[in-house]
Each structure stands twice: as structure tokens, then as C-alpha cells.
Amino acid sequence: MDTAYHLVDPASEKPDVQTSTIQIQSLSIAPKRKSKRQLGSVIHILTHVVGFLWIAPIVTLLVLNFKNHVIGASIWCPRGKCNAQAYGDNAIATANKLDGEDHNILGALQFVAKGLEVWFMVVATSLVYDVALFLAKSNGGLPIGYLFTHLEFGDIRNLINPLLWTSPIPHGSLMPSKPSGTLKLYLFTMLAASLTILTNLMGPATAVLVLPTLQWVDTSHKPNQVFGSLAASGSPRGDTVFPGCNDTQLLTRNYSCTSEVYGPSMDNWLSQTLSSTAQAEQDYGAMLAGTSQEGTVEFTLNASRNGDLFWIPNRQVLRSLSSDLQDLASYVSGDLQANGTRSQKQPSYNNSLETVLQREGPSIGVAADCFNGTLTALTLATNKQVRCLSGWTPTSDTSGYEDSTYTKCFRYGTGWGGANQVAGFYLGDADKKADESYVQVYSSDKATAFNSTTDFGSQIQRCMEESAKDCDWDHIFETSIDPILANATTNPLVTEYGNPSYGSSTVWCDAIAYSAFPTYTLNTASSANPLSLVSLNQLPSATDKNFNTTPIAISPDWVLAAWSVANNGTVDRSREIGKELARVAPYVFEPFNETAPYPEQWEFSFIHMYTLAQSLSFISYDYSDDQASLSAAAKDKSQPVLTTWATLRVWAYGLSGRTPKLGVAVSILGCVCVLLRLILAVSLRIKHEHGVVELFVAALEHQPSQEFEDLHDEAKMAKVRYVIQDGHGRPKLVSERAYSGGLSGGLQTP
Ligand SMILES: *[C@@H]1O[C@H](CO)[C@@H](O)[C@H](O)[C@H]1NC(C)=O
Ligand SMILES: *[C@@H]1O[C@H](CO)[C@@H](O)[C@H](O)[C@H]1NC(C)=O
Ligand SMILES: *[C@@H]1O[C@H](CO)[C@@H](O)[C@H](O)[C@H]1NC(C)=O
Ligand SMILES: *[C@@H]1O[C@H](CO)[C@@H](O)[C@H](O)[C@H]1NC(C)=O
Ligand SMILES: *[C@@H]1O[C@H](CO)[C@@H](O)[C@H](O)[C@H]1NC(C)=O
Ligand SMILES: *[C@@H]1O[C@H](CO)[C@@H](O)[C@H](O)[C@H]1NC(C)=O
Ligand SMILES: *[C@@H]1O[C@H](CO)[C@@H](O)[C@H](O)[C@H]1NC(C)=O
Ligand SMILES: *[C@@H]1O[C@H](CO)[C@@H](O)[C@H](O)[C@H]1NC(C)=O
Ligand SMILES: *[C@@H]1O[C@H](CO)[C@@H](O)[C@H](O)[C@H]1NC(C)=O
Ligand SMILES: *[C@@H]1O[C@H](CO)[C@@H](O)[C@H](O)[C@H]1NC(C)=O
């Protein structure tokens, strides 16, 4: 600290320039002044207390904002109970009423913000005045340009007031005795200028901190399940996979038991989608994805194709989400106490304007497409087959290979060592299977591809053409091919649609499936989401940590379950799906005319796509949800931990965005000013203030001694410095020149 800043009591240390008559007068009225002075310092202390108290609401607001304090469905929620019931029958009327009340309270909070601003203004004015008077009492004196700074600094024009910036520069003959005086005065200039900026920013800053905003706030993510594995590669097992099916029935690979619940579900999903094709043909129409129901929610496949993949929600996850929704409903109606996704510390669903339930869960993303071509089946041994289908075009939009067609060969049979399975069924009449269209679904572990110019060195071309006996088929399937084609050669699920009258010409579809853990999101507000449609958020991309880039194997039995048919059974034409397949089948095998394709040809691709989606949505998974495995998995991270949470629409404080940060900075600087005033008062022993009127009277009483001679412009006058002397309770102005002259007068000849 600058030791030059010490309080000087001019009355005791400086030579007295007062006349003796005034001394006598002042003696006689001394006791009265003393009590006045005491009153003055009591008031002075009070201004400090009031100024200091400003910090309390500001710190409270800062804490609320830093902790992202959540209020609730309305701004006025005393003891956590808002006057809100966002779930009632009368949701819109309630929302309207809440909006009115919120508007009211926001208005009131504006007044609070203004109050805080005015309060700070008081502190800042006192600070400027305190410092100005301190300077005036110290040796260097105060330029008269600064006498009214404490009244002017709140006005932004103060910044461009030349007097503020030039007053400390001494004017020629008025050279002050000490150069440090000028430095001190410039510190004062800086203080006044920064307080001008600060006080002008204080209003919006406090408003930003005081006013809560309507936000989406996540409750804490609650670990819910430790993911085990997807039962994709095996046949459906267990009593709970499909309602209406028990394990004994599933063992026979007869999936007609699924028809009770999922037969109508499949038919409905498909006919809803196909009916949309008629809408799409209208000028104003478009093709919309059909929805399917599971429990209390609906879902659809996510066609926002992310890296060529369709993501299909998993019905087991949807069942969990359904029970989350039921929990929420019973919680809100008062039947169930805090359980489910709600954590005790969070605001209750009751206090939220809108609630979005979120749940992480497995989902299957599939790249699927259909092609026409011919089938060549090579039987190498009784249990070793190679099936080659021509007409394959890589699906990827980015491959640049859309124009080349390849032949895709996959291996099938138990002799290959890998897990290869097949399932099939017929369409129509069980007694005339030989004449009917059929569907064969192969799950193969490995495929390869070639075209007319290259087989990527696998020799498969030669082996196909010459039926060579010396072919090393294991080598053929191990040879790596073009990387862009390569990820469609692991674990393909190939569906062949055939009809005896079209011979080896077939329509075939392949599917490459990946698994990942997107977030299932359900907006529970019936006004925003009347169909309870679940959407998949954050679709996984190939770069995600939890995204396994190796395609997973899918058992063809899941496809049988989607058609509700036994292996080698028949799908009756009386069912919607049988009827639709029978309707489009004759066109599907006709040559594809690019300029005028039959509508049935693309309707067929919907039939395939939606039955595939139904199959993949069934795939169950196992998990553990006991506390021990949850905490163990959280520690060793060997298995994904699936969490649940809710996102609530509530009024809350927070610091997201730039303006709140500015508000925080400004209010922290405000607190610094308050503390600065206190520290200055204590360290400089500022006990009380002279009033402005007292100063004015002192100025009137002052007899100028040529200070203003030859001074004609304001800027120069403003530079003239005065020292305030405490003349027995009343301030007295002494020109700085006279003061320092008088000071040194004892030593030098005047
Ligand atoms: C499975 O369901 C079938 C048909 O409903 C029934 O006959 C059979 O007893 C059930 N098996 C078990 C183990 O419940
Ligand atoms: C939520 O509000 C409903 C209706 O006002 C009430 O019956 C229920 O008890 C509340 N639930 C809780 C947990 O406060
Ligand atoms: C809440 O959850 C705990 C543990 O998950 C369970 O034991 C309890 O029965 C649940 N309470 C209610 C009212 O459902
Ligand atoms: C065969 O495939 C290769 C590599 O993918 C490609 O460069 C070539 O153009 C294709 N040939 C034909 C005739 O499409
Ligand atoms: C398929 O392979 C290509 C090339 O290796 C790669 O860029 C792409 O991400 C893969 N697709 C998927 C879905 O993994
Ligand atoms: C599909 O995925 C996108 C991207 O994640 C998401 O925004 C959208 O809500 C999803 N739609 C459905 C119906 O799941
Ligand atoms: C499928 O059914 C046909 C005709 O009924 C029969 O010839 C064939 O052996 C059956 N195949 C299987 C794998 O059961
Ligand atoms: C499958 O089960 C249903 C009902 O139990 C039965 O009617 C049907 O004949 C079975 N199908 C086959 C192919 O076994
Ligand atoms: C398959 O489609 C191509 C065009 O995509 C067409 O040229 C060819 O004739 C079709 N073959 C059959 C058997 O339909
Ligand atoms: C495709 O359809 C158009 C319009 O019907 C017809 O003129 C053309 O001959 C057809 N092309 C083939 C290859 O059938």
C-alpha cells in the first residue's frame, strides 16, 4: 500500500490560517458540533451497513445461478409446490393461467432488478464521494473539476467529459508541489470512469441474474440396467419374448403363437404404410412411415438414414418405457410415491410443464436393399452349400459403385463351421406348396462378391464358371475384397423370394445389421405428442464409442416370428400380409422398367422392409439390474450400463449463454466495489462525510487569492486544486498553492 495515503488532520498539524475571532466563535459552539458529528458518523456507518448488505442478494443470486436452481412449473413455487397441474384434463387452461401468473411475477422481478441497481448506485456514489473527499483532504488537493464527479459519474456522458480526463494535469503556473498527487488523481479518474460503465451495466446484469428462464432440465441419469447381450443370433427363447408364446412352443420353431398379438400388429403396420403410397401419389402428399404399437407407446423405424442405416426400436426397451410412462401417470395422479426415473432431489413431475422420458437401450440399425437376379446354388458337400445371387448393387450412396452390379455369394450349411441357419415358408395353400411363392431366409456367417471384371483375387469367378473341383472355398471366403463392399460380407441376412414359374430368377434382399445404444425419447405431453410416439435420439454413427462396426448375426427365426408362421409352414392369403404379398408377387418377377416401374415393385420393397423391421424389433436382450452388478459395471466398465432419466420443462436459474456470464462478471465487480469502499473507509479512517451543501457553503465563504487570475476557460479552471481543511467540524477550502505554500512557509521565504 502506498504509505502516502494517510489521513492528515490539517487542523492539528498545519499552521492555522484562521483568524482568532472565528476560533473563539467555534469554541463556543463546539459541543453542539460534536453531537452533530457523532450523528454524522452514525449515518456514515449506516451507509456502510446498507451498502454491504447489497452483497447478500447478489451472492444469493449468483449461487442460484451457479447451481442451476430449478424452481418448477411456475416461477412461484413456495416450498416446492407450484400452483400447476400440467397433466390435468384442462391442460391448456391451466397453462394459460400459469402464463398469466408467470408474466406477473416476471414483471415484479424486473422491479427487484431495478431496486438492486438503484441500491448499487447509492454505494457507487458514496465510493466516489468518499475517495474525492479523501483526496481533497490530502496534500495534493482536489481539482475543482472533480467536486461534482460523484453526481455526474452515473451519466454515460461522464466518459466523454473532457474535465474528467484533463483535470489532473496541472496547469502551467499551478504546478503542484508533489507529482504523486497527479498519479493519485488519475487513479480517481479511472475509478470514476469504470464506475460509470459498471453502474450503467448493473441494471441489465441484475435483471439477467434475477429473472429465471423456462428451460429443459435433465434429471440425474440413473443407472438402470447392465446390458448383457442381444439374443439376435439365436432363435427366440423363453416365456416372455412374445406375449402368448411359451418356451415349449418356441422350441418347435412354430411361431403361429405370435399371431394373437403381433399378427394384427404386422398387418396393421404394413397396410398403414401401403396406404401411404396412395397419399404419396397426390401432389400434396408424401410417403410417411407407418407406426406400430408396443404397450402404451408407438414407434416407427427411423428413416433419417444415418450412414445408410435404418434404426429400429427394440420392443423390450419400449415395454420398459411403457412402464416408465405408467409410473409417471400414477405418480402424477398420486397413486405412486417417488419411484421410477425420478430422483428424490429433483423437482417432481408434478412441478414440470412438460416431461420427456428418456431411456438408453439397444437398437438395431440395418442396411437393407432388394435386388433382382438369378440364383446359382453350388452344393459342395451334403452340408456345404454356396448360394450366389446376381444383381447386387452396393447400397451406399457414397461408394460410387451404384452403377456396377456384382454377384454376391454366401456360404450355407453346417459343414462350414460357422453359424449358418435357414428358415422358410410358403404363401397360400398348405397343400400346394410346390406351386406357391416361397420365402427363404438365410443367415450366413460369410459372403463374398465378384463382378465381370474382378473377383479381387479370390478365384471364385473361375470356380463358378468351370465348376472346378480343386477350388479352395475356405480361401475364397477369407480373401478380402474391396473395403467398400467388405462390410456387407459379414453376417448377411439374405431373404430370397421365389416362385416356381420364374425358375432361378429371384428377387432377393440382403440386410446387414449393427447394434448400438441410442436414447429412446418419449414426450409425455399429450398436446405435443398425442400418439405417444417414441423417437430415437442421437442415432449412433460409425465413430461412436458404443457402436460395434462388426455386423451382428440375425437368426432367421425372428423373421418367422414376424410373419407368425412355422418353419416350412404357410402364410394364409386371407391375412392382410399374405394378401398383399400375393398381390404384388406377379409384378415383382417381371423385368424392372426404370422409366415406368410397376407400383407393386416398390410396394414389395415396403413389405420386405416392414417385415424385417418387425423381426428386428422383437429381438430380446438380457440384462441385470441388481445393485451389485450395477455398481460393479460402473467400476470396471466391461459392459454398457443403460441409464434412464427425464427431461423436465421448468423455470430455472442458470448460466448458459453469454449474457448471464456478463451479468455474473458485472455483479462480481459490484461486490468488489462494495468491499473496496469498506476497506478504504477502514484503512483511511474515513469517519463521516461532509454534505454537498457544507462544501458549497465553504466555497462561498472562500476568498479567492488570485487562483483564477487569467483563467478564462472551464478546462483550466477545473484544474485549480483545493485542499479541504476541517475547521472545527466545518469544511474549509484552501487553495492547494496557498496550502503547500503555507506548509513550506516556515522554511522558505514567501
Ligand atoms: C405352452 O402353451 C401350450 C399352448 O397354449 C400349452 O399346451 C402348453 O402346456 C404350454 N407349456 C407350458 C410349459 O406352459
Ligand atoms: C401430484 O399431483 C396430484 C394432483 O394434484 C396429487 O394427487 C399427487 O399426490 C401429486 N404427487 C406428488 C408426489 O406430490
Ligand atoms: C420403489 O422401488 C423400490 C426398489 O426399486 C421397491 O422396493 C419399492 O417397492 C418401490 N416402491 C413403490 C411404491 O413402487
Ligand atoms: C467391378 O468391380 C471393380 C471394383 O469394385 C470396379 O472397379 C469395376 O468397375 C467393376 N466392373 C464392372 C464391369 O462394373
Ligand atoms: C462400411 O465400410 C466403409 C469402408 O470401410 C466404412 O467407411 C463404413 O463406415 C462402413 N459402414 C458401416 C455401417 O460400418
Ligand atoms: C430419427 O433420428 C433423428 C436423428 O437422431 C431424430 O432427430 C428423430 O427424432 C428420429 N425420429 C424418430 C421417429 O425416431
Ligand atoms: C418342408 O415342407 C415340404 C413339403 O411339405 C417338405 O417336402 C420338406 O421336407 C419340408 N422341409 C423341412 C425342412 O421341413
Ligand atoms: C403351429 O401351431 C399351430 C397352433 O398350435 C398349429 O395349428 C399349426 O398346425 C402348427 N404348424 C406347423 C407347421 O406345425
Ligand atoms: C433386374 O433389373 C434390371 C435393372 O435394374 C433389369 O435390367 C433386369 O432385366 C431385371 N431382371 C429381372 C430378371 O427382372
Ligand atoms: C418401359 O416403359 C415405357 C413406358 O411404358 C415403355 O415405353 C418402354 O418400352 C418400357 N421399356 C421396357 C424395356 O420394357
Side-chain angles (χ1 to χ4, degrees), residues 401 403-406 451-454 456 482 485:
Y401 289 3
D403 295 337
S404 17
T405 51
Y406 298 79
N451 67 8
S452 51
T453 48
T454 179
F456 309 100
D482 191 323
L485 309 175

Side-chain angles (χ1 to χ4, degrees), residues 351-653:
N351 272 351
S352 165
L353 285 173
E354 214 172 312
T355 304
V356 177
L357 294 176
Q358 316 241 29
R359 175 177 274 273
E360 288 173 329
S363 166
I364 289 180
V366 67
D369 224 336
C370 291
F371 314 93
N372 65 16
T374 51
L375 166 72
T376 315
L378 298 183
T379 305
L380 308 177
T382 45
N383 51 6
K384 268 185 156 186
Q385 236 189 34
V386 174
R387 298 177 77 83
C388 292
L389 293 151
S390 67
W392 182 48
T393 312
T395 328
S396 174
D397 306 329
T398 53
S399 67
Y401 289 3
E402 298 88 10
D403 295 337
S404 17
T405 51
Y406 298 79
T407 298
K408 189 173 196 171
C409 297
F410 64 91
R411 59 192 193 185
Y412 165 70
T414 49
W416 294 104
N420 296 319
Q421 305 168 55
V422 67
F425 56 91
Y426 295 84
L427 177 66
D429 209 334
D431 301 329
K432 293 188 253 162
K433 277 181 184 173
D435 304 326
E436 296 287 6
S437 299
Y438 61 86
V439 180
Q440 296 276 354
V441 188
Y442 291 89
S443 173
S444 168
D445 64 329
K446 197 79 196 132
T448 188
F450 65 94
N451 67 8
S452 51
T453 48
T454 179
D455 62 8
F456 309 100
S458 70
Q459 302 290 312
I460 189 172
Q461 250 172 348
R462 186 179 67 88
C463 295
M464 293 290 296
E465 280 159 14
E466 300 166 15
S467 314
K469 294 273 176 278
D470 61 334
C471 285
D472 181 353
W473 285 96
D474 286 318
H475 169 256
I476 287 172
F477 280 106
E478 289 316 316
T479 310
S480 57
I481 65 165
D482 191 323
I484 289 173
L485 309 175
N487 45 13
T489 59
T490 308
N491 292 328
L493 182 73
V494 179
T495 311
E496 297 173 8
Y497 294 87
N499 186 296
S501 30
Y502 291 90
S504 66
S505 158
T506 126
V507 171
W508 65 281
C509 307
D510 80 341
I512 307 293
Y514 301 86
S515 75
F517 302 95
T519 302
Y520 290 66
T521 297
L522 173 66
N523 189 337
T524 58
S526 56
S527 53
N529 188 13
L531 298 179
S532 294
L533 186 67
V534 172
S535 59
L536 293 183
N537 252 352
Q538 298 155 19
L539 287 189
S541 67
T543 48
D544 278 2
K545 177 168 54 78
N546 270 334
F547 186 87
N548 190 348
T549 49
T550 310
I552 57 170
I554 308 284
S555 163
D557 284 27
W558 295 105
V559 180
L560 295 180
W563 289 84
S564 302
V565 67
N567 184 31
N568 215 16
T570 53
V571 171
D572 202 278
R573 281 207 191 91
S574 63
R575 276 186 61 191
E576 178 70 17
I577 188 163
K579 195 177 83 191
E580 294 292 349
L581 187 60
R583 179 172 66 82
V584 302
Y587 300 92
V588 169
F589 296 103
E590 291 300 319
F592 187 81
N593 187 336
E594 293 258 13
T595 49
Y598 295 110
E600 287 82 1
Q601 285 174 328
W602 57 295
E603 282 175 1
F604 164 77
S605 66
F606 286 120
I607 296 178
H608 172 73
M609 196 61 222
Y610 279 81
T611 50
L612 181 68
Q614 178 84 331
S615 320
L616 298 180
S617 74
F618 285 149
I619 293 173
S620 57
Y621 67 99
D622 54 17
Y623 62 88
S624 39
D625 58 0
D626 53 301
Q627 209 51 48
S629 26
L630 278 171
S631 46
K635 244 178 250 149
D636 63 16
K637 296 191 166 58
S638 55
Q639 287 289 49
V641 177
L642 307 174
T643 61
T644 63
W645 70 98
T647 305
L648 309 175
R649 186 102 174 118
V650 285
W651 287 94
Y653 287 102

Side-chain angles (χ1 to χ4, degrees), residues 280-301:
E281 281 158 17
Q282 312 304 313
D283 289 346
Y284 47 81
M287 185 77 207
L288 294 183
T291 58
S292 184
Q293 185 181 355
E294 183 65 42
T296 54
V297 300
E298 292 197 60
F299 70 99
T300 182
L301 43 99

